[in-house]
Amino acid sequence: MENAEQILKEQYSRPAHQELYEQLEKDKVRCYSCGHQCLISPGKTGICKLRFNKEGVLYAPYNYVAGLAIDPIEKKPFFHVLPGETALSFGMLGCNFHCPFCQNWLSSQTLRDPNSLIRFEPISSTTIVELALKHHCPVMVSTYNEPLITSDWAYEIFSLAKEKGIICGYVSNGHASERVLKFLRPVMQLFKVDLKTFQQKNYDKLGGKLSVVCSTIEKLMELDYWVEIVTLLVPGFNDSDEELHELTKFIAKTNPNIPWHVTGFYPNYKMNDSFPTSTYQLEKAYKIAKEVGLHFVYVGNRPGSVKTMENTYCPHCNELLIERIGFSIYSNKLSDGKCPYCNTSIPGIWSKKTK
Ligand code: SF4
């Protein structure tokens, strides 16, 4: 482990992008790659353990992946981006949170949990873009671990990908700084935010701040990112009616056109003894969100068992527009991004042009 950590830091880290940190007195640095905005003394690391201060210079990971796959775009999940297409998905190591229900904890908790792994494959930014082109992926996303903490390298990859017409995005917990969101916007258009709970006392258990995630969502809308929000419904953690009302009311107030995915939990990591989310709980959350006024609500992780709650309907005439089960599209009636029955524009990215 020590050797792997040394290799990671000595061979797969380089000075962070100038826009993502500030050099301060006594060789301290302030990192802006995520919402923690860590103040890091020489010889120390930030909360994520992956970014570190070496003699007054902040170092950040690059040139490797811990996961690389071609996924259906519905798996990210983005339901309003090129339905039925694929996304080249890559992930690195580490996270700025420590969620007890994490599905990717073996790689996300690297250097934070002694039971996690330091396994990775060297790869260059150009090779990742070539792979996306070779496999005709119109979208590329940084996912699996928390992408914010490796924004320097994502920026490099996405700059190359955008030149080739690939639409780029993050699958993130949304614990961002304003600076990193502005930094990424010229090369990145998609942002999936996990809004994990609407109570600060719950965010305390995960290692973040609710106010920071809410600000991220508002700032993403201002910066004209395409945003979809996911909430993993964990029994006994975030599934009370009151909390779901508050959470969905916040999304509706920000913009009722933001798609909200409420997904089912399966026992995992430190919550192996918990119960999975019931279909009843997911359907209840769906109904609350619709009552609150969200236009696009989707139940995830229960393919085929939640009636029509995986489909897209026109918010104006209520006709079925996109029929889905799990990650498969069964029909798509959208015409130029509009409802063919009443001509209402449906928000999303329906053509392959990058913005
Ligand atoms: S990415 Fe976040 S957690 Fe890591 S050093 Fe920077 S501010 Fe701290």
Side-chain angles (χ1 to χ4, degrees):
M1 169 118 171
E2 242 170 53
N3 192 31
E5 180 178 345
Q6 208 176 347
I7 291 172
L8 194 62
K9 293 204 163 153
E10 287 177 4
Q11 296 178 29
Y12 295 93
S13 300
R14 69 179 176 194
H17 200 289
Q18 285 286 318
E19 283 190 45
L20 291 181
Y21 83 103
E22 205 176 350
Q23 290 172 302
L24 305 167
E25 80 290 350
K26 295 187 182 158
D27 277 349
K28 289 181 185 170
V29 297
R30 169 88 59 196
C31 176
Y32 293 100
S33 202
C34 90
H36 287 307
Q37 306 195 14
C38 298
L39 178 63
I40 312 171
S41 297
K44 302 287 183 200
T45 66
I47 287 172
C48 60
K49 305 283 186 204
L50 266 294
R51 298 170 81 87
F52 57 94
N53 180 343
K54 188 173 162 190
E55 296 163 6
V57 175
L58 181 67
Y59 279 71
Y62 87 116
N63 259 19
Y64 74 83
V65 288
L68 182 67
I70 295 170
D71 287 331
I73 194 148
E74 284 73 20
K75 192 175 176 183
K76 300 300 98 192
F78 285 112
F79 275 17
H80 287 227
V81 180
L82 304 179
E85 289 284 0
T86 52
L88 186 106
S89 307
F90 67 92
M92 300 181 80
L93 294 166
C95 192
N96 52 359
F97 277 14
H98 46 82
C99 306
F101 43 77
C102 182
Q103 294 168 10
N104 294 322
W105 70 273
L106 282 172
S107 56
S108 76
Q109 293 307 304
T110 291
L111 305 184
R112 307 181 93 200
D113 181 331
N115 294 317
S116 65
L117 301 173
I118 311 185
R119 282 207 193 125
F120 57 93
E121 292 288 327
I123 193 167
S124 70
S125 47
T126 45
T127 304
I128 293 183
V129 176
E130 280 163 13
L131 281 171
L133 293 171
K134 184 176 161 197
H135 294 281
H136 307 288
C137 302
V139 173
M140 181 183 287
V141 290
S142 184
T143 177
Y144 308 135
N145 73 319
E146 175 48 52
L148 285 165
I149 68 171
T150 50
S151 288
D152 324 66
W153 197 48
Y155 183 87
E156 177 181 311
I157 299 166
F158 291 170
S159 303
L160 299 172
K162 191 177 175 186
E163 276 175 23
K164 302 290 180 190
I166 296 170
I167 300 171
C168 299
Y170 269 9
V171 171
S172 166
N173 59 30
H175 202 263
S177 68
E178 184 174 342
R179 199 188 279 214
V180 74
L181 300 179
K182 286 185 173 162
F183 169 71
L184 290 165
R185 183 61 187 90
V187 296
M188 186 169 122
Q189 201 175 344
L190 314 177
F191 212 111
K192 191 223 78 176
V193 178
D194 267 332
L195 180 54
K196 292 171 189 274
T197 166
F198 213 66
Q199 295 190 68
Q200 182 51 46
K201 73 176 170 58
N202 283 344
Y203 264 105
D204 287 343
K205 295 175 193 159
L206 314 181
K209 288 203 167 64
L210 171 63
S211 59
V212 171
V213 181
C214 291
S215 302
T216 295
I217 293 168
E218 288 163 349
K219 187 49 71 180
L220 287 167
M221 298 307 287
E222 267 175 56
L223 292 170
D224 198 24
Y225 280 90
W226 175 254
V227 178
E228 302 199 20
I229 296 177
V230 174
T231 302
L232 179 75
L233 205 61
V234 182
F237 176 71
N238 60 359
D239 63 340
S240 71
D241 288 10
E242 194 190 358
E243 180 164 354
L244 289 168
H245 263 116
E246 292 305 309
L247 187 149
T248 51
K249 256 183 2 204
F250 163 75
I251 301 173
K253 202 173 124 222
T254 307
N255 190 324
N257 282 329
I258 298 174
W260 183 56
H261 304 254
V262 58
T263 58
F265 156 86
Y266 287 108
N268 205 342
Y269 191 29
K270 294 182 178 170
M271 293 187 70
N272 254 328
D273 298 337
S274 308
F275 288 104
T277 321
S278 68
T279 305
Y280 169 78
Q281 285 169 303
L282 290 162
E283 289 177 352
K284 188 186 69 173
Y286 178 98
K287 283 176 194 149
I288 289 173
K290 293 300 268 184
E291 277 163 23
V292 160
L294 288 183
H295 293 161
F296 305 102
V297 183
Y298 303 106
V299 171
N301 280 357
R302 296 293 183 273
S305 58
V306 286
K307 300 175 200 134
T308 55
M309 295 179 191
E310 298 175 89
N311 297 338
T312 302
Y313 293 90
C314 176
H316 184 248
C317 70
N318 213 29
E319 287 288 344
L320 172 64
L321 298 177
I322 304 174
E323 191 180 4
R324 299 180 190 82
I325 294 182
F327 307 140
S328 301
I329 303 291
Y330 286 84
S331 67
N332 180 354
K333 295 182 183 145
L334 280 179
S335 166
D336 273 341
K338 291 184 177 158
C339 171
Y341 304 100
C342 69
N343 215 32
T344 297
S345 284
I346 305 301
I349 297 172
W350 312 110
S351 80
K352 294 183 183 173
K353 282 190 213 127
T354 54
K355 260 204 300 179

